[in-house]
Amino acid sequence: MLKHTFAVYIFLFTTALYSSSIEVIDAYIRAVPIGLPNSAAFMKIKNSSNKIVYLQKVVSTSAEKLELHEHVMSGAMMKMQHIPTIEIPANTTVELKPGGLHVMLLGLTKPLVVDDFINDFSLFFSNGDVIQLKHLPIKSAMNEMKH
Amino acid sequence: MRKTLWFILTPILLIALTIFVIIPYIEEQKTIAHYAFKLDSSEGHVKLSDFQGKIPIIYFGYMYCPDICPTSLSVIASALAKLPKDKAENFQLIFISVDPNRDTPKALKEYAHYFYSYAIGLTGNEKYLKEITQNYGAYYAKEYDSNSTQEYTVAHTSFIYIMDKKGKLAHKLAHPQNTNDVYTALLEML
Ligand SMILES: [Cu+2]
């Protein structure tokens, strides 16, 4: 039964991927200690079309608000700031990764425990593509280091 | 004859003693005092000198930090985990929160443990934290982003400070994202 459900997820996931020019690869949310209100999601976004596409919005019930963020240097300091969109140039893969771009989750509605999953996480793109991640893994920052 | 010899030797010895022993000692004490601190943990005051004989690894950040702090702490924890247990025990990971309004010593304890079981979390009052971070050459500033729903974030430098067993600065690693860089620095300390 579990295997079956998983297969359906994979199927849904892959159909979402191959039906559009935008692919989301290796997406995950970072696990945080219980009680902390915020976390971040990271992934690679591949644009295989010949046009610039913008990630415009992310929707999920896992947090009260989701924002697109970047890190910038302010003197010697790292500063995180809200940006309206993330640009994915034509035929390019943009990586959202620790220390750089991320989807910021503000006001977590459930604890983010390692090895658990988020079942709804939708990314809206300027070309009309919507990518729904139904099995987004929650990983510890420690695990990220391993690969 | 002997008297004359002593008459010449004594000042030379005294000068040598001053140059090679007393002045370095005073300088060392000054450096130790420069990096010394007394902050709050959930179990009461903690001073850097409490860890004499251990190698403190110090990181300044804040708990609400969603990315830079967890990444840095994980990098340090992974580097420590690469060491054999008896070697890792030589180090003391210390997370110092520069956001005492939101980060209580009790929450900081759990936060530090989450990344590394032997890590501790400390904080203090704002004025004192400014002073300490300045001594370490670390900087931070509250940022109020009107475009964001967050109350505020804290922009901060992301250095890892590795101290020697006496409490003097041995390494200052600039925003390392790589476990091996930290691991190499840790190995050098052993
Ligand atoms: Cu952010």
Side-chain angles (χ1 to χ4, degrees):
Chain A
M1 176 58 203
L2 199 68
K3 251 188 187 163
H4 186 73
T5 323
F6 191 63
V8 171
Y9 279 143
I10 298 266
F11 175 71
L12 286 173
F13 187 71
T14 43
T15 30
L17 293 185
Y18 289 107
S19 60
S20 70
S21 51
I22 296 289
E23 273 181 67
V24 171
I25 309 152
D26 297 338
Y28 68 93
I29 293 193
R30 173 178 275 168
V32 292
I34 290 171
L36 284 190
N38 306 331
S39 185
F42 305 102
M43 66 201 72
K44 294 182 192 100
I45 304 173
K46 185 178 173 187
N47 176 7
S48 43
S49 76
N50 294 318
K51 282 184 189 145
I52 297 182
V53 174
Y54 298 90
L55 172 60
Q56 291 177 314
K57 189 172 70 163
V58 181
V59 174
S60 170
T61 58
S62 56
E64 279 159 25
K65 178 130 200 209
L66 290 96
E67 294 179 349
L68 305 174
H69 280 193
E70 67 175 352
H71 275 101
V72 289
M73 290 302 281
S74 160
M77 296 186 287
M78 293 287 278
K79 188 172 129 183
M80 183 175 75
Q81 63 188 29
H82 185 203
I83 46 174
T85 58
I86 291 176
E87 182 183 314
I88 326 290
N91 298 304
T92 302
T93 301
V94 168
E95 191 174 2
L96 280 62
K97 60 171 188 229
L101 296 162
H102 56 272
V103 177
M104 178 88 182
L105 287 83
L106 296 152
L108 296 172
T109 52
K110 60 171 261 182
L112 296 181
V113 184
V114 179
D115 293 338
D116 203 352
F117 296 88
I118 294 295
N119 300 322
D120 71 299
F121 199 88
S122 305
L123 300 121
F124 294 79
F125 293 90
S126 58
N127 65 346
D129 279 10
V130 178
I131 298 211
Q132 290 178 289
L133 304 178
K134 306 200 171 191
H135 214 68
L136 182 62
I138 300 169
K139 290 190 188 176
S140 80
M142 290 290 270
N143 268 328
E144 296 161 23
M145 299 306 136
K146 283 174 193 153
H147 50 248
Chain B
M1 183 61 200
R2 209 177 245 181
K3 252 188 186 170
T4 336
L5 191 68
W6 277 116
F7 193 72
I8 298 162
L9 269 180
T10 310
I12 293 174
L13 282 171
L14 280 176
I15 290 165
L17 190 74
T18 311
I19 292 173
F20 295 109
V21 181
I22 298 173
I23 291 177
Y25 178 79
I26 292 170
E27 285 302 316
E28 185 174 51
Q29 291 309 308
K30 266 194 203 161
T31 313
I32 293 170
H34 182 76
Y35 293 110
F37 59 71
K38 183 176 159 193
L39 288 161
D40 305 326
S41 78
S42 56
E43 272 89 41
H45 293 311
V46 169
K47 292 184 298 215
L48 181 61
S49 56
D50 292 347
F51 303 106
Q52 231 163 51
K54 284 217 174 202
I55 304 160
I57 307 168
I58 300 169
Y59 188 82
F60 296 96
Y62 70 112
M63 267 174 39
Y64 279 33
C65 175
D67 185 2
I68 304 296
C69 299
T71 304
S72 304
L73 288 173
S74 301
V75 166
I76 302 169
S78 306
L80 285 166
K82 273 183 85 171
L83 292 169
K85 199 167 183 292
D86 61 315
K87 296 274 187 280
E89 279 169 1
N90 289 299
F91 296 93
Q92 176 61 57
L93 176 53
I94 303 170
F95 179 78
I96 300 176
S97 167
V98 294
D99 189 12
N101 291 338
R102 293 189 293 203
D103 301 350
T104 63
K106 193 171 170 286
L108 278 164
K109 180 186 178 175
E110 280 168 36
Y111 182 81
H113 283 198
Y114 179 86
F115 293 98
Y116 190 66
S117 341
Y118 306 104
I120 59 164
L122 307 175
T123 192
N125 74 54
E126 294 225 29
K127 198 168 156 249
Y128 186 55
L129 286 165
K130 274 273 179 237
E131 201 182 303
I132 298 169
T133 46
Q134 245 160 46
N135 288 345
Y136 276 78
Y139 300 94
Y140 66 97
K142 275 187 195 172
E143 298 277 340
Y144 294 86
D145 185 349
S146 54
N147 290 318
S148 177
T149 37
Q150 292 193 92
E151 202 192 334
Y152 61 83
T153 60
V154 184
H156 60 97
T157 48
S158 178
F159 297 115
I160 296 174
Y161 300 89
I162 304 174
M163 315 303 287
D164 69 12
K165 290 185 177 175
K166 286 180 176 169
K168 291 175 298 173
L169 182 64
H171 283 278
K172 181 178 176 182
L173 306 175
H175 191 61
Q177 293 221 335
N178 185 325
T179 302
N180 275 328
D181 296 347
V182 181
Y183 179 70
T184 310
L186 295 184
L187 280 183
E188 270 177 45
M189 299 301 298
L190 292 170

